[in-house]
Structures are given as C-alpha cells and as structure tokens.
Amino acid sequence: MDNITALGGDVYEIDTRMAGYAGITAGYLILGDRPCLVETGTSTSAPVVRDALASLGVGPDDLATVVVTHIHLDHAGGVGDIAEFFPQAQIVVHEKGARHLADPSRLMASARMVWGDRLDTLFGELSPTESERIVALGDTGAIDLGNGRTLSSHYSPGHAKHHVGLVDSATGDLYVGDAAGVYLPQTGDLRPATPPPDFDLQTALDSIALFQALGPQRLLFSHYGPVGAVQETLERSAEELRVWVDLTKQAHQEGMDLDHAVAMVRDRTRERYTALKSDDETAEQFELLSGAPSNVAGILHWLNKVSP
Ligand SMILES: [Zn+2]
C-alpha cells in the first residue's frame, strides 16, 4: 500500500490520511511477537489504519497493544474504533488521559467548542473504550513488544498534561508525539505546538531536556515522520518555543487581543519557515498542523494564568 513506509527495525510508518490529506498525521506499527500500534490517528482514519495493518499481516486478533502519546483527537480519536477492530489489543495511555478514552463525552464537547462544524471533517467522533482494556501509565512504564523488546514510556507534559514519549529498546527510536513540535519533512521546518489549555513553557522545555537525556537514535514525529539529527532537532524544538513565547509575550504586554497577537507573531516568524515561502498546499498543511491562532492562543492562555 502506498501509505506504508518501512523504517527498518520492523517499524512501519502509516500515513493515516487525516481528513483526506497525505503527510499530516502518522501512526507507527512495531511488528514482532506482540505487534504494537503507536498513535491511531483520527476516528475517520481508523479504517485506513486497519487496512494498513492487514496488509502488513496484522489481522483482527493479532494486535497486542495500542499506545497513544496523548489523547488529542489527531492522535487518539481512532482509539475506540481500533479497539473494536482489534479485540485482543490493550489500550495504553497516560493515567491523566485514561478516563477520557473510557468516557469521551467531555473531551468531545470541548473539541466541538474549539472546532465547531470542522470537527466532523477533520476528526470525527472518538468512541468509548471499555475501561477493562485500558492500561494507565504513570511517570514511566513499559510495553512488552515480545522477544525481550520493550517500549518504555516517559511522561512529557507541556504540550498536553497527559503526554508521554516512548523509547523502543531495539531501535532507540523515540516517539515524540507533539512534545517536540511539528516537523515538515518536505522542507525540514519545525514549529512549536502550543495549543490551549495545557501549554506551559518550562514544563515543555523540561520535556525536551528529558528527551535529550534519553539519548535516542532517531525521532519519530506524529507530524510527520522520522528524523535522524536528534540533538540538533531537539535544540531547534526548544528554540522555537522560546521564539514564539517571546513574541507572544510582547503582544501580551502591549495589550493586543488574540487576532492582533496572531497577526504580529505570524508576521514576525514567517521568515523562519521555508514552508511559508513555498507552494500554498505545503503552507496550508503547516497551518493545519500547528496553526498560529492555536499556538498563540495557547501561549496567551498560559501567560494569563501565570501573570494575569
Ligand atoms: Zn497532534
């Protein structure tokens, strides 16, 4: 299938075709005695992911584990559907996200407030998972991949308070979720992902420092794909956060409202990203993934909390 890329070490990147787009949101399959899916993508992507797994030889009773880095709908919106397609799979998530997978009603209500009618086309509806099948992670945890291989989880809040990074013992891959920002392989651009309501600068920087300390061999971005230049990229992740926070702070101090703050930050960061100079489609992709309105709103929300 043309949406599957072999990354070596029995790891496969699956383009979930989020909202019909290519190259927006990846899921990853780690094959082995206990096949594990990292990130489901959205609910509307679930059939795409199921078919990709089938073509890799993972049938309904074969998937051992599904793990999500956090419960935002682009990463975990398909959990309920995937759980139904693969009835033997355990669903692994940080303990702060577990109850939302069992009962998505509050999560869906707040997502609908943010996205309105676009919710249905972008994400679809997260359906509930039986709580007996959910395994909640603490600050650290381990997923058995079979044959002595493990995926260890590391609590990494900042982007979301229920975010974990995952390290594969066999490959040294680190699944960064959204904690290191959003990477665009076509251009090599990296932008922060600082949405409301959980964003917190120091917490986010601490999580990036934790990722550096873990010494991974490769980063696997959910948006989007593998990156080999680990330390350089994580340094860039931290720098991006500081740039966006500094500019948003200026806007905040000057008393700008959200629209003016977004326009100012967008304008003054534009030169940093090749994507915004290239064709409209690439620029649009970037905006969908870590849009300036969402990033600035998240930083302002945090600033209002720490210095109202
Ligand atoms: Zn995301």
Side-chain angles (χ1 to χ4, degrees), residues 18 24-25 39 69-70 72-75 159 177-178 181-182 193 222-223 289:
M18 179 175 156
I24 294 262
T25 299
E39 316 283 49
T69 59
H70 61 301
H72 290 166
L73 293 176
D74 48 333
H75 300 254
H159 169 80
D178 287 352
V182 162
S222 303
H223 321 285
L289 287 174

Side-chain angles (χ1 to χ4, degrees), residues 41-111:
T42 64
S43 170
T44 47
S45 290
V48 175
V49 173
R50 175 199 55 198
D51 294 349
L53 264 55
S55 82
L56 289 164
V58 178
D61 290 328
D62 301 329
L63 189 65
T65 317
V66 175
V67 55
V68 290
T69 59
H70 61 301
I71 60 163
H72 290 166
L73 293 176
D74 48 333
H75 300 254
V79 163
D81 307 85
I82 294 290
E84 214 175 301
F85 293 150
F86 299 94
Q88 309 297 327
Q90 282 193 320
I91 311 300
V92 183
V93 60
H94 188 262
E95 59 192 1
K96 290 201 164 98
R99 69 192 170 94
H100 297 288
L101 294 185
D103 174 11
S105 51
R106 272 185 51 194
L107 179 72
M108 288 310 300
S110 67

Side-chain angles (χ1 to χ4, degrees), residues 21-25 74 115 118 180-194 221 223-224 236 240 244 266 269-295:
Y21 291 91
I24 294 262
T25 299
D74 48 333
W115 296 97
R118 292 184 71 207
V182 162
Y183 175 79
L184 206 63
Q186 298 95 314
T187 57
D189 284 324
L190 196 137
R191 226 158 64 151
T194 61
F221 283 83
H223 321 285
Y224 188 97
R236 176 79 192 271
E240 287 294 311
W244 281 66
R266 199 199 294 272
T269 53
R270 192 183 308 274
E271 283 305 308
R272 300 177 66 77
Y273 311 110
T274 313
L276 301 184
K277 294 171 210 151
S278 63
D279 63 280
D280 284 354
E281 200 182 323
T282 316
E284 185 191 323
Q285 213 166 326
F286 217 12
E287 274 301 305
L288 189 64
L289 287 174
S290 69
S294 157
N295 278 348

Side-chain angles (χ1 to χ4, degrees), residues 4-296:
I4 301 172
T5 308
L7 299 180
D10 284 331
V11 178
Y12 296 85
E13 175 196 286
I14 299 165
D15 186 340
T16 66
R17 299 282 197 253
M18 179 175 156
Y21 291 91
I24 294 262
T25 299
Y28 294 93
L29 178 69
I30 306 169
L31 268 180
D33 286 355
R34 294 177 48 79
C36 175
L37 175 68
V38 181
E39 316 283 49
T40 63
T42 64
S43 170
T44 47
S45 290
V48 175
V49 173
R50 175 199 55 198
D51 294 349
L53 264 55
S55 82
L56 289 164
V58 178
D61 290 328
D62 301 329
L63 189 65
T65 317
V66 175
V67 55
V68 290
T69 59
H70 61 301
I71 60 163
H72 290 166
L73 293 176
D74 48 333
H75 300 254
V79 163
D81 307 85
I82 294 290
E84 214 175 301
F85 293 150
F86 299 94
Q88 309 297 327
Q90 282 193 320
I91 311 300
V92 183
V93 60
H94 188 262
E95 59 192 1
K96 290 201 164 98
R99 69 192 170 94
H100 297 288
L101 294 185
D103 174 11
S105 51
R106 272 185 51 194
L107 179 72
M108 288 310 300
S110 67
R112 198 162 283 281
M113 287 221 314
V114 175
W115 296 97
D117 289 343
R118 292 184 71 207
L119 183 85
D120 302 302
T121 44
L122 282 175
F123 306 107
E125 191 88 15
L126 169 63
S127 56
T129 300
E130 304 94 291
S131 40
E132 310 84 72
R133 293 181 59 189
I134 299 175
V135 177
L137 297 162
D139 282 356
T140 58
I143 292 161
D144 179 9
L145 300 172
N147 263 333
R149 184 176 185 177
T150 57
L151 192 61
S152 61
S153 76
H154 301 270
Y155 184 46
S156 46
H159 169 80
K161 62 173 184 278
H162 41 68
H163 193 292
V164 297
L166 301 155
V167 179
D168 182 336
S169 64
T171 59
D173 284 332
L174 170 61
Y175 295 85
V176 291
D178 287 352
V182 162
Y183 175 79
L184 206 63
Q186 298 95 314
T187 57
D189 284 324
L190 196 137
R191 226 158 64 151
T194 61
D198 292 347
F199 173 69
D200 180 278
L201 177 63
Q202 195 52 52
T203 311
L205 289 172
D206 289 348
S207 290
I208 292 170
L210 170 67
F211 285 176
Q212 287 174 314
L214 291 170
Q217 295 299 306
R218 179 166 69 170
L219 307 175
L220 296 182
F221 283 83
S222 303
H223 321 285
Y224 188 97
V227 178
V230 170
Q231 294 302 333
E232 185 189 320
T233 302
L234 291 175
E235 274 164 31
R236 176 79 192 271
S237 301
E239 182 193 320
E240 287 294 311
L241 282 175
R242 291 198 186 91
V243 167
W244 281 66
V245 164
D246 283 350
L247 287 170
T248 306
K249 253 185 196 160
Q250 276 181 41
H252 183 66
Q253 278 158 5
E254 289 168 27
M256 286 184 200
D257 64 16
L258 177 62
D259 288 351
H260 286 90
V262 169
M264 185 271 251
V265 175
R266 199 199 294 272
D267 202 50
R268 295 189 46 192
T269 53
R270 192 183 308 274
E271 283 305 308
R272 300 177 66 77
Y273 311 110
T274 313
L276 301 184
K277 294 171 210 151
S278 63
D279 63 280
D280 284 354
E281 200 182 323
T282 316
E284 185 191 323
Q285 213 166 326
F286 217 12
E287 274 301 305
L288 189 64
L289 287 174
S290 69
S294 157
N295 278 348
V296 172

